[in-house]
Amino acid sequence: MNVALFQPEIPQNTAAILRTLACFGASAHIVGPAAFDLSDRAVRRAGLDYAASVPLTRHPTFDAFKAAVPGRIVLLTTRADTLLHDFAFHEDDTLLFGQESAGVPDAVHAAADARVRIPLVPGARSLNLAVAVGIALMAATVSSGAVTTRGLE
C-alpha cells in the first residue's frame, strides 16, 4: 500500500504519518513542493528511527507522480460521495491526501481514479491529516486483503 501527500504543509503531521507508514509497511510519496525542509537529513531527524524503514519518493508534479505510481490513485477528500467503508481497495492502490489547509486543486481531484471520504458526524469539517491517514490506511489495508486485522497483532 502507498500513501501520497500533496504539498504537505505541517512537518509534524508528515513525521507522524511516516511513523504510521513504517508500522504498516507502506511506502510514502510527496507530490510537489512541501512547505518545509524535506532533505534526507530533515526527514531522518523528523521521523526518528522510523524514517529509514519507509520508502520515500518525491515527485516534482502531480503528472510525474501519476505516471510513476502503479495501480489506482484514491483521493481521500471531504468532497467525495463514496464512504471509506463502502470502497473496495486494491493492494496496489495509492491513497492520496491533500494539503492540510486546502486539500487538492480541482484538476488533481478530477484526475484521481477514485474519491473516498471518511464519514464524520454532521457539522464536523475534517480530521487532522495524520489521523485521517491512519484511519484510511487501516481500512484500505484490511479491505484490500493486504493484511488481516489478525496479522497486525
Side-chain angles (χ1 to χ4, degrees):
M1 192 68 56
N2 298 292
V3 170
L5 305 178
F6 183 85
Q7 299 179 357
E9 299 171 309
I10 302 173
Q12 295 87 343
N13 279 340
T14 300
I17 291 164
L18 289 176
R19 183 179 187 121
T20 299
L21 299 184
C23 291
F24 277 83
S27 298
H29 297 264
I30 303 294
V31 181
F36 51 88
D37 182 9
L38 259 179
S39 66
D40 289 339
R41 181 176 176 221
V43 169
R44 278 193 309 274
R45 186 173 59 244
L48 302 172
D49 55 336
Y50 286 90
S53 63
V54 179
L56 174 61
T57 306
R58 296 169 183 94
H59 307 275
T61 65
F62 179 76
D63 288 338
F65 161 71
K66 189 161 174 68
V69 295
R72 302 178 301 179
I73 296 174
V74 180
L75 175 64
L76 276 288
T77 173
T78 58
R79 297 173 18 200
D81 292 326
T82 304
L83 297 177
L84 180 68
H85 57 272
D86 291 333
F87 189 77
F89 288 92
H90 300 163
E91 193 171 344
D92 64 347
D93 284 344
T94 297
L95 309 179
L96 175 62
F97 296 84
Q99 291 178 309
E100 289 92 340
S101 68
V104 298
D106 289 341
V108 171
H109 193 278
D113 298 303
R115 285 153 291 288
V116 177
R117 73 179 161 91
I118 298 170
L120 304 175
V121 298
R125 289 182 304 130
S126 64
L127 293 164
N128 169 276
L129 180 60
V131 172
V133 169
I135 291 169
L137 184 57
M138 176 64 186
T141 301
V142 172
S143 169
S144 72
V147 70
T148 64
T149 53
R150 184 120 184 105
L152 294 175
E153 295 175 348

Short mmCIF file of all heavy atoms in Angstrom, two decimals, residues 20-88:
data_model
loop_
_atom_site.label_atom_id
_atom_site.label_comp_id
_atom_site.label_asym_id
_atom_site.label_seq_id
_atom_site.Cartn_x
_atom_site.Cartn_y
_atom_site.Cartn_z
N THR A 20 3.51 6.10 11.07
CA THR A 20 2.38 5.21 10.80
C THR A 20 2.69 4.30 9.61
O THR A 20 2.43 3.09 9.66
CB THR A 20 1.11 6.03 10.54
OG1 THR A 20 0.81 6.80 11.71
CG2 THR A 20 -0.08 5.15 10.20
N LEU A 21 3.25 4.88 8.55
CA LEU A 21 3.57 4.08 7.36
C LEU A 21 4.59 3.00 7.69
O LEU A 21 4.50 1.88 7.19
CB LEU A 21 4.07 4.98 6.24
CG LEU A 21 3.09 6.04 5.73
CD1 LEU A 21 3.68 6.79 4.55
CD2 LEU A 21 1.75 5.45 5.39
N ALA A 22 5.57 3.33 8.51
CA ALA A 22 6.57 2.34 8.91
C ALA A 22 5.91 1.17 9.64
O ALA A 22 6.25 0.01 9.38
CB ALA A 22 7.63 2.99 9.79
N CYS A 23 4.97 1.47 10.48
CA CYS A 23 4.30 0.42 11.26
C CYS A 23 3.40 -0.46 10.40
O CYS A 23 3.12 -1.60 10.76
CB CYS A 23 3.51 1.04 12.40
SG CYS A 23 4.57 1.77 13.67
N PHE A 24 2.93 0.07 9.26
CA PHE A 24 2.07 -0.70 8.35
C PHE A 24 2.85 -1.26 7.16
O PHE A 24 2.28 -1.96 6.33
CB PHE A 24 0.94 0.18 7.81
CG PHE A 24 -0.24 0.29 8.74
CD1 PHE A 24 -0.24 1.19 9.78
CD2 PHE A 24 -1.35 -0.53 8.56
CE1 PHE A 24 -1.33 1.29 10.63
CE2 PHE A 24 -2.44 -0.44 9.40
CZ PHE A 24 -2.43 0.48 10.45
N GLY A 25 4.12 -0.92 7.05
CA GLY A 25 4.91 -1.41 5.92
C GLY A 25 4.52 -0.75 4.61
O GLY A 25 4.62 -1.35 3.55
N ALA A 26 4.07 0.50 4.68
CA ALA A 26 3.62 1.23 3.48
C ALA A 26 4.71 2.17 2.99
O ALA A 26 5.62 2.55 3.73
CB ALA A 26 2.35 2.02 3.80
N SER A 27 4.59 2.55 1.73
CA SER A 27 5.52 3.49 1.11
C SER A 27 4.94 4.90 1.13
O SER A 27 3.73 5.07 1.12
CB SER A 27 5.79 3.09 -0.34
OG SER A 27 6.38 1.82 -0.39
N ALA A 28 5.83 5.90 1.09
CA ALA A 28 5.41 7.30 1.11
C ALA A 28 5.79 7.99 -0.19
O ALA A 28 6.86 7.73 -0.75
CB ALA A 28 6.06 8.03 2.28
N HIS A 29 4.94 8.90 -0.63
CA HIS A 29 5.20 9.74 -1.80
C HIS A 29 4.88 11.17 -1.41
O HIS A 29 3.84 11.42 -0.79
CB HIS A 29 4.31 9.33 -2.98
CG HIS A 29 4.58 7.96 -3.47
ND1 HIS A 29 5.43 7.71 -4.53
CD2 HIS A 29 4.13 6.75 -3.05
CE1 HIS A 29 5.48 6.40 -4.73
NE2 HIS A 29 4.70 5.80 -3.84
N ILE A 30 5.74 12.08 -1.76
CA ILE A 30 5.49 13.51 -1.58
C ILE A 30 5.32 14.09 -2.98
O ILE A 30 6.20 13.94 -3.84
CB ILE A 30 6.65 14.22 -0.85
CG1 ILE A 30 6.91 13.58 0.51
CG2 ILE A 30 6.36 15.72 -0.73
CD1 ILE A 30 5.80 13.72 1.53
N VAL A 31 4.18 14.74 -3.21
CA VAL A 31 3.86 15.28 -4.53
C VAL A 31 4.00 16.80 -4.48
O VAL A 31 3.32 17.47 -3.71
CB VAL A 31 2.43 14.90 -4.96
CG1 VAL A 31 2.12 15.45 -6.34
CG2 VAL A 31 2.24 13.38 -4.90
N GLY A 32 4.89 17.33 -5.33
CA GLY A 32 5.10 18.78 -5.38
C GLY A 32 5.91 19.25 -4.20
O GLY A 32 6.35 18.45 -3.37
N PRO A 33 6.08 20.54 -4.11
CA PRO A 33 6.91 21.05 -3.02
C PRO A 33 6.20 20.98 -1.67
O PRO A 33 4.98 21.14 -1.59
CB PRO A 33 7.14 22.52 -3.41
CG PRO A 33 5.95 22.87 -4.24
CD PRO A 33 5.59 21.61 -4.99
N ALA A 34 6.96 20.69 -0.65
CA ALA A 34 6.45 20.75 0.72
C ALA A 34 6.72 22.15 1.26
O ALA A 34 7.60 22.85 0.76
CB ALA A 34 7.14 19.71 1.60
N ALA A 35 5.99 22.53 2.27
CA ALA A 35 6.15 23.86 2.86
C ALA A 35 7.26 23.88 3.91
O ALA A 35 7.41 24.85 4.64
CB ALA A 35 4.83 24.31 3.49
N PHE A 36 8.08 22.84 3.95
CA PHE A 36 9.15 22.72 4.94
C PHE A 36 10.28 21.91 4.33
O PHE A 36 10.14 21.34 3.25
CB PHE A 36 8.63 22.08 6.23
CG PHE A 36 7.88 20.79 6.00
CD1 PHE A 36 8.55 19.58 5.95
CD2 PHE A 36 6.52 20.81 5.79
CE1 PHE A 36 7.86 18.41 5.70
CE2 PHE A 36 5.81 19.63 5.55
CZ PHE A 36 6.49 18.43 5.51
N ASP A 37 11.40 21.85 5.03
CA ASP A 37 12.59 21.15 4.56
C ASP A 37 12.33 19.65 4.48
O ASP A 37 11.97 19.02 5.47
CB ASP A 37 13.74 21.44 5.54
CG ASP A 37 15.06 20.80 5.12
OD1 ASP A 37 15.15 20.27 3.99
OD2 ASP A 37 16.00 20.84 5.93
N LEU A 38 12.49 19.10 3.30
CA LEU A 38 12.31 17.66 3.09
C LEU A 38 13.62 16.99 2.68
O LEU A 38 13.59 15.94 2.03
CB LEU A 38 11.26 17.41 2.03
CG LEU A 38 9.88 17.03 2.53
CD1 LEU A 38 8.92 16.84 1.37
CD2 LEU A 38 9.88 15.84 3.42
N SER A 39 14.73 17.59 3.05
CA SER A 39 16.01 16.95 2.74
C SER A 39 16.08 15.62 3.49
O SER A 39 15.37 15.39 4.47
CB SER A 39 17.16 17.84 3.17
OG SER A 39 17.17 17.97 4.59
N ASP A 40 16.93 14.72 3.02
CA ASP A 40 17.07 13.42 3.68
C ASP A 40 17.39 13.59 5.15
O ASP A 40 16.86 12.88 6.00
CB ASP A 40 18.15 12.58 2.99
CG ASP A 40 17.72 12.10 1.62
OD1 ASP A 40 16.51 12.06 1.34
OD2 ASP A 40 18.62 11.78 0.81
N ARG A 41 18.25 14.54 5.46
CA ARG A 41 18.64 14.78 6.85
C ARG A 41 17.45 15.22 7.70
O ARG A 41 17.22 14.72 8.80
CB ARG A 41 19.74 15.83 6.91
CG ARG A 41 20.21 16.11 8.31
CD ARG A 41 21.38 17.08 8.33
NE ARG A 41 21.71 17.38 9.70
CZ ARG A 41 22.03 18.57 10.15
NH1 ARG A 41 22.09 19.59 9.32
NH2 ARG A 41 22.30 18.76 11.41
N ALA A 42 16.64 16.13 7.17
CA ALA A 42 15.47 16.62 7.90
C ALA A 42 14.44 15.52 8.10
O ALA A 42 13.84 15.40 9.17
CB ALA A 42 14.85 17.81 7.18
N VAL A 43 14.24 14.69 7.08
CA VAL A 43 13.28 13.59 7.19
C VAL A 43 13.76 12.59 8.23
O VAL A 43 12.98 12.12 9.05
CB VAL A 43 13.05 12.93 5.82
CG1 VAL A 43 12.28 11.62 5.96
CG2 VAL A 43 12.33 13.88 4.89
N ARG A 44 15.04 12.25 8.20
CA ARG A 44 15.58 11.32 9.21
C ARG A 44 15.38 11.87 10.61
O ARG A 44 15.00 11.14 11.52
CB ARG A 44 17.06 11.06 8.95
CG ARG A 44 17.33 10.02 7.88
CD ARG A 44 18.78 9.57 7.89
NE ARG A 44 19.74 10.66 7.85
CZ ARG A 44 20.17 11.26 6.75
NH1 ARG A 44 19.74 10.87 5.58
NH2 ARG A 44 21.04 12.23 6.81
N ARG A 45 15.63 13.15 10.78
CA ARG A 45 15.50 13.77 12.10
C ARG A 45 14.03 13.78 12.55
O ARG A 45 13.72 13.43 13.67
CB ARG A 45 16.06 15.20 12.09
CG ARG A 45 16.09 15.86 13.46
CD ARG A 45 16.81 17.21 13.46
NE ARG A 45 16.18 18.14 12.54
CZ ARG A 45 16.78 18.65 11.45
NH1 ARG A 45 18.02 18.33 11.17
NH2 ARG A 45 16.15 19.49 10.67
N ALA A 46 13.11 14.14 11.65
CA ALA A 46 11.69 14.22 12.00
C ALA A 46 11.08 12.84 12.21
O ALA A 46 10.23 12.65 13.07
CB ALA A 46 10.93 14.96 10.92
N GLY A 47 11.51 11.88 11.41
CA GLY A 47 10.95 10.54 11.50
C GLY A 47 11.61 9.67 12.54
O GLY A 47 11.21 8.53 12.75
N LEU A 48 12.64 10.20 13.17
CA LEU A 48 13.40 9.47 14.18
C LEU A 48 13.83 8.12 13.62
O LEU A 48 14.31 8.03 12.51
CB LEU A 48 12.60 9.35 15.46
CG LEU A 48 12.18 10.71 16.07
CD1 LEU A 48 11.23 10.50 17.21
CD2 LEU A 48 13.39 11.50 16.51
N ASP A 49 13.66 7.06 14.39
CA ASP A 49 14.16 5.76 13.96
C ASP A 49 13.27 5.09 12.92
O ASP A 49 13.62 4.07 12.37
CB ASP A 49 14.35 4.84 15.16
CG ASP A 49 13.09 4.70 16.00
OD1 ASP A 49 12.24 5.61 15.95
OD2 ASP A 49 12.97 3.70 16.73
N TYR A 50 12.12 5.67 12.62
CA TYR A 50 11.21 5.06 11.66
C TYR A 50 11.47 5.50 10.22
O TYR A 50 11.12 4.80 9.28
CB TYR A 50 9.76 5.39 12.01
CG TYR A 50 9.25 4.62 13.19
CD1 TYR A 50 9.38 5.10 14.48
CD2 TYR A 50 8.63 3.38 13.01
CE1 TYR A 50 8.92 4.38 15.56
CE2 TYR A 50 8.17 2.66 14.08
CZ TYR A 50 8.32 3.15 15.36
OH TYR A 50 7.86 2.44 16.42
N ALA A 51 12.03 6.67 10.01
CA ALA A 51 12.17 7.23 8.66
C ALA A 51 12.96 6.31 7.73
O ALA A 51 12.62 6.18 6.56
CB ALA A 51 12.83 8.61 8.72
N ALA A 52 13.97 5.66 8.23
CA ALA A 52 14.81 4.81 7.38
C ALA A 52 14.05 3.59 6.84
O ALA A 52 14.42 3.05 5.81
CB ALA A 52 16.03 4.35 8.16
N SER A 53 12.97 3.19 7.51
CA SER A 53 12.25 1.99 7.06
C SER A 53 11.06 2.30 6.15
O SER A 53 10.33 1.39 5.77
CB SER A 53 11.78 1.19 8.28
OG SER A 53 10.86 1.94 9.03
N VAL A 54 10.88 3.58 5.80
CA VAL A 54 9.78 3.97 4.92
C VAL A 54 10.35 4.40 3.57
O VAL A 54 11.03 5.42 3.49
CB VAL A 54 8.94 5.13 5.52
CG1 VAL A 54 7.83 5.53 4.56
CG2 VAL A 54 8.39 4.75 6.87
N PRO A 55 10.07 3.63 2.52
CA PRO A 55 10.49 4.10 1.19
C PRO A 55 9.78 5.42 0.87
O PRO A 55 8.56 5.50 0.93
CB PRO A 55 10.02 2.98 0.25
CG PRO A 55 9.82 1.78 1.13
CD PRO A 55 9.42 2.33 2.47
N LEU A 56 10.56 6.47 0.60
CA LEU A 56 10.01 7.80 0.34
C LEU A 56 10.43 8.26 -1.05
O LEU A 56 11.62 8.33 -1.34
CB LEU A 56 10.51 8.80 1.39
CG LEU A 56 10.14 10.26 1.20
CD1 LEU A 56 8.63 10.45 1.21
CD2 LEU A 56 10.79 11.11 2.29
N THR A 57 9.43 8.55 -1.88
CA THR A 57 9.69 9.03 -3.23
C THR A 57 9.12 10.43 -3.36
O THR A 57 7.99 10.68 -2.95
CB THR A 57 9.04 8.11 -4.28
OG1 THR A 57 9.49 6.77 -4.06
CG2 THR A 57 9.39 8.55 -5.69
N ARG A 58 9.92 11.33 -3.91
CA ARG A 58 9.46 12.70 -4.14
C ARG A 58 9.15 12.88 -5.62
O ARG A 58 9.90 12.42 -6.48
CB ARG A 58 10.54 13.69 -3.70
CG ARG A 58 10.83 13.63 -2.21
CD ARG A 58 12.10 14.43 -1.88
NE ARG A 58 12.44 14.34 -0.48
CZ ARG A 58 13.28 13.46 0.03
NH1 ARG A 58 13.88 12.58 -0.74
NH2 ARG A 58 13.54 13.45 1.33
N HIS A 59 8.03 13.54 -5.91
CA HIS A 59 7.60 13.80 -7.29
C HIS A 59 7.43 15.30 -7.45
O HIS A 59 6.70 15.92 -6.67
CB HIS A 59 6.27 13.09 -7.58
CG HIS A 59 6.29 11.63 -7.27
ND1 HIS A 59 6.74 10.68 -8.16
CD2 HIS A 59 5.92 10.95 -6.15
CE1 HIS A 59 6.63 9.48 -7.62
NE2 HIS A 59 6.14 9.62 -6.40
N PRO A 60 8.07 15.90 -8.45
CA PRO A 60 8.00 17.36 -8.59
C PRO A 60 6.61 17.88 -8.95
O PRO A 60 6.25 19.00 -8.60
CB PRO A 60 9.01 17.67 -9.69
CG PRO A 60 9.18 16.39 -10.44
CD PRO A 60 8.93 15.29 -9.46
N THR A 61 5.82 17.05 -9.65
CA THR A 61 4.48 17.48 -10.09
C THR A 61 3.50 16.32 -9.93
O THR A 61 3.90 15.15 -9.81
CB THR A 61 4.48 17.89 -11.57
OG1 THR A 61 4.77 16.72 -12.36
CG2 THR A 61 5.49 18.99 -11.86
N PHE A 62 2.22 16.66 -9.98
CA PHE A 62 1.20 15.62 -9.93
C PHE A 62 1.30 14.70 -11.14
O PHE A 62 1.13 13.48 -11.02
CB PHE A 62 -0.20 16.22 -9.81
CG PHE A 62 -1.27 15.17 -9.77
CD1 PHE A 62 -1.49 14.43 -8.62
CD2 PHE A 62 -2.03 14.89 -10.89
CE1 PHE A 62 -2.45 13.42 -8.59
CE2 PHE A 62 -3.00 13.89 -10.87
CZ PHE A 62 -3.21 13.16 -9.71
N ASP A 63 1.55 15.27 -12.31
CA ASP A 63 1.67 14.45 -13.52
C ASP A 63 2.81 13.44 -13.40
O ASP A 63 2.66 12.29 -13.81
CB ASP A 63 1.86 15.34 -14.75
CG ASP A 63 0.58 16.09 -15.13
OD1 ASP A 63 -0.52 15.65 -14.74
OD2 ASP A 63 0.70 17.13 -15.80
N ALA A 64 3.93 13.86 -12.85
CA ALA A 64 5.06 12.94 -12.65
C ALA A 64 4.68 11.84 -11.66
O ALA A 64 5.02 10.66 -11.86
CB ALA A 64 6.28 13.71 -12.16
N PHE A 65 3.98 12.21 -10.62
CA PHE A 65 3.50 11.24 -9.63
C PHE A 65 2.56 10.23 -10.28
O PHE A 65 2.73 9.02 -10.14
CB PHE A 65 2.81 12.00 -8.50
CG PHE A 65 1.90 11.17 -7.65
CD1 PHE A 65 2.40 10.21 -6.78
CD2 PHE A 65 0.52 11.34 -7.71
CE1 PHE A 65 1.54 9.45 -5.99
CE2 PHE A 65 -0.34 10.60 -6.93
CZ PHE A 65 0.18 9.65 -6.07
N LYS A 66 1.57 10.73 -11.02
CA LYS A 66 0.57 9.86 -11.64
C LYS A 66 1.24 8.87 -12.60
O LYS A 66 0.86 7.71 -12.66
CB LYS A 66 -0.49 10.68 -12.36
CG LYS A 66 -1.67 9.86 -12.85
CD LYS A 66 -2.86 10.73 -13.12
CE LYS A 66 -4.02 9.99 -13.74
NZ LYS A 66 -4.69 9.03 -12.93
N ALA A 67 2.24 9.32 -13.31
CA ALA A 67 2.94 8.45 -14.26
C ALA A 67 3.80 7.40 -13.55
O ALA A 67 4.08 6.34 -14.12
CB ALA A 67 3.82 9.29 -15.19
N ALA A 68 4.21 7.68 -12.32
CA ALA A 68 5.16 6.80 -11.64
C ALA A 68 4.53 5.73 -10.76
O ALA A 68 5.15 4.69 -10.53
CB ALA A 68 6.10 7.65 -10.77
N VAL A 69 3.32 5.96 -10.27
CA VAL A 69 2.76 5.00 -9.32
C VAL A 69 1.92 3.94 -10.04
O VAL A 69 1.20 4.25 -10.98
CB VAL A 69 1.91 5.69 -8.22
CG1 VAL A 69 2.77 6.58 -7.35
CG2 VAL A 69 0.74 6.44 -8.79
N PRO A 70 2.04 2.71 -9.59
CA PRO A 70 1.20 1.65 -10.16
C PRO A 70 -0.20 1.70 -9.55
O PRO A 70 -0.40 2.30 -8.50
CB PRO A 70 1.93 0.38 -9.73
CG PRO A 70 2.57 0.75 -8.43
CD PRO A 70 2.95 2.20 -8.58
N GLY A 71 -1.13 1.07 -10.17
CA GLY A 71 -2.46 0.97 -9.59
C GLY A 71 -3.24 2.27 -9.61
O GLY A 71 -2.87 3.23 -10.29
N ARG A 72 -4.30 2.29 -8.82
CA ARG A 72 -5.20 3.44 -8.79
C ARG A 72 -4.73 4.49 -7.79
O ARG A 72 -4.12 4.17 -6.77
CB ARG A 72 -6.60 3.00 -8.38
CG ARG A 72 -7.22 1.96 -9.27
CD ARG A 72 -8.58 1.54 -8.78
NE ARG A 72 -8.51 1.00 -7.43
CZ ARG A 72 -9.58 0.56 -6.74
NH1 ARG A 72 -10.78 0.62 -7.28
NH2 ARG A 72 -9.44 0.07 -5.53
N ILE A 73 -5.07 5.73 -8.09
CA ILE A 73 -4.88 6.82 -7.13
C ILE A 73 -6.24 7.07 -6.50
O ILE A 73 -7.20 7.43 -7.19
CB ILE A 73 -4.34 8.08 -7.81
CG1 ILE A 73 -2.94 7.80 -8.37
CG2 ILE A 73 -4.32 9.25 -6.83
CD1 ILE A 73 -2.36 8.92 -9.19
N VAL A 74 -6.32 6.85 -5.20
CA VAL A 74 -7.56 7.01 -4.45
C VAL A 74 -7.41 8.25 -3.58
O VAL A 74 -6.63 8.25 -2.62
CB VAL A 74 -7.87 5.76 -3.60
CG1 VAL A 74 -9.17 5.95 -2.83
CG2 VAL A 74 -7.92 4.51 -4.47
N LEU A 75 -8.13 9.29 -3.93
CA LEU A 75 -8.08 10.55 -3.20
C LEU A 75 -9.01 10.50 -2.00
O LEU A 75 -10.19 10.19 -2.13
CB LEU A 75 -8.48 11.71 -4.12
CG LEU A 75 -8.58 13.09 -3.46
CD1 LEU A 75 -7.21 13.56 -2.94
CD2 LEU A 75 -9.16 14.09 -4.46
N LEU A 76 -8.47 10.79 -0.83
CA LEU A 76 -9.28 10.93 0.37
C LEU A 76 -9.67 12.40 0.47
O LEU A 76 -8.79 13.27 0.57
CB LEU A 76 -8.51 10.49 1.62
CG LEU A 76 -8.52 9.00 1.94
CD1 LEU A 76 -9.85 8.52 2.43
CD2 LEU A 76 -8.00 8.13 0.85
N THR A 77 -10.96 12.69 0.42
CA THR A 77 -11.43 14.06 0.36
C THR A 77 -12.79 14.21 1.01
O THR A 77 -13.62 13.28 0.92
CB THR A 77 -11.50 14.56 -1.11
OG1 THR A 77 -12.11 15.87 -1.14
CG2 THR A 77 -12.28 13.62 -2.00
N THR A 78 -13.03 15.33 1.63
CA THR A 78 -14.33 15.61 2.22
C THR A 78 -15.39 15.82 1.15
O THR A 78 -16.58 15.82 1.44
CB THR A 78 -14.28 16.85 3.13
OG1 THR A 78 -13.84 17.98 2.37
CG2 THR A 78 -13.34 16.62 4.31
N ARG A 79 -14.97 15.99 -0.11
CA ARG A 79 -15.90 16.23 -1.22
C ARG A 79 -16.33 14.95 -1.94
O ARG A 79 -16.99 15.01 -2.97
CB ARG A 79 -15.27 17.19 -2.23
CG ARG A 79 -14.99 18.55 -1.64
CD ARG A 79 -14.22 19.50 -2.52
NE ARG A 79 -14.19 19.19 -3.94
CZ ARG A 79 -13.28 19.66 -4.78
NH1 ARG A 79 -12.34 20.47 -4.36
NH2 ARG A 79 -13.31 19.33 -6.06
N ALA A 80 -16.00 13.79 -1.41
CA ALA A 80 -16.35 12.52 -2.05
C ALA A 80 -17.74 12.06 -1.64
O ALA A 80 -18.20 12.33 -0.52
CB ALA A 80 -15.33 11.46 -1.69
N ASP A 81 -18.38 11.32 -2.52
CA ASP A 81 -19.67 10.70 -2.21
C ASP A 81 -19.49 9.31 -1.61
O ASP A 81 -20.30 8.87 -0.80
CB ASP A 81 -20.53 10.60 -3.48
CG ASP A 81 -20.98 11.95 -3.99
OD1 ASP A 81 -21.21 12.87 -3.17
OD2 ASP A 81 -21.07 12.10 -5.22
N THR A 82 -18.44 8.60 -2.01
CA THR A 82 -18.22 7.23 -1.55
C THR A 82 -17.59 7.24 -0.16
O THR A 82 -16.58 7.91 0.07
CB THR A 82 -17.29 6.47 -2.53
OG1 THR A 82 -17.87 6.53 -3.83
CG2 THR A 82 -17.10 5.03 -2.10
N LEU A 83 -18.18 6.48 0.75
CA LEU A 83 -17.66 6.39 2.11
C LEU A 83 -16.54 5.35 2.18
O LEU A 83 -16.55 4.35 1.44
CB LEU A 83 -18.77 6.01 3.08
CG LEU A 83 -19.89 7.03 3.21
CD1 LEU A 83 -20.98 6.50 4.16
CD2 LEU A 83 -19.37 8.37 3.69
N LEU A 84 -15.61 5.57 3.08
CA LEU A 84 -14.44 4.71 3.24
C LEU A 84 -14.83 3.25 3.38
O LEU A 84 -14.24 2.38 2.72
CB LEU A 84 -13.65 5.18 4.47
CG LEU A 84 -12.39 4.42 4.84
CD1 LEU A 84 -11.32 4.64 3.79
CD2 LEU A 84 -11.89 4.87 6.20
N HIS A 85 -15.80 2.94 4.19
CA HIS A 85 -16.16 1.54 4.44
C HIS A 85 -16.94 0.90 3.30
O HIS A 85 -17.16 -0.30 3.30
CB HIS A 85 -16.92 1.40 5.76
CG HIS A 85 -18.16 2.23 5.84
ND1 HIS A 85 -18.14 3.52 6.30
CD2 HIS A 85 -19.44 1.96 5.51
CE1 HIS A 85 -19.36 4.01 6.25
NE2 HIS A 85 -20.17 3.08 5.77
N ASP A 86 -17.35 1.70 2.31
CA ASP A 86 -18.06 1.16 1.15
C ASP A 86 -17.15 0.97 -0.07
O ASP A 86 -17.60 0.50 -1.10
CB ASP A 86 -19.20 2.11 0.75
CG ASP A 86 -20.32 2.12 1.76
OD1 ASP A 86 -20.50 1.11 2.48
OD2 ASP A 86 -21.02 3.15 1.84
N PHE A 87 -15.89 1.31 0.05
CA PHE A 87 -14.97 1.27 -1.09
C PHE A 87 -14.13 0.00 -1.03
O PHE A 87 -13.61 -0.37 0.02
CB PHE A 87 -14.07 2.50 -1.09
CG PHE A 87 -13.24 2.63 -2.32
CD1 PHE A 87 -13.81 3.09 -3.51
CD2 PHE A 87 -11.90 2.31 -2.32
CE1 PHE A 87 -13.05 3.21 -4.67
CE2 PHE A 87 -11.13 2.43 -3.46
CZ PHE A 87 -11.70 2.88 -4.64
N ALA A 88 -13.99 -0.67 -2.17
CA ALA A 88 -13.16 -1.88 -2.26
C ALA A 88 -11.75 -1.48 -2.70
O ALA A 88 -11.52 -1.16 -3.87
CB ALA A 88 -13.77 -2.87 -3.24
#
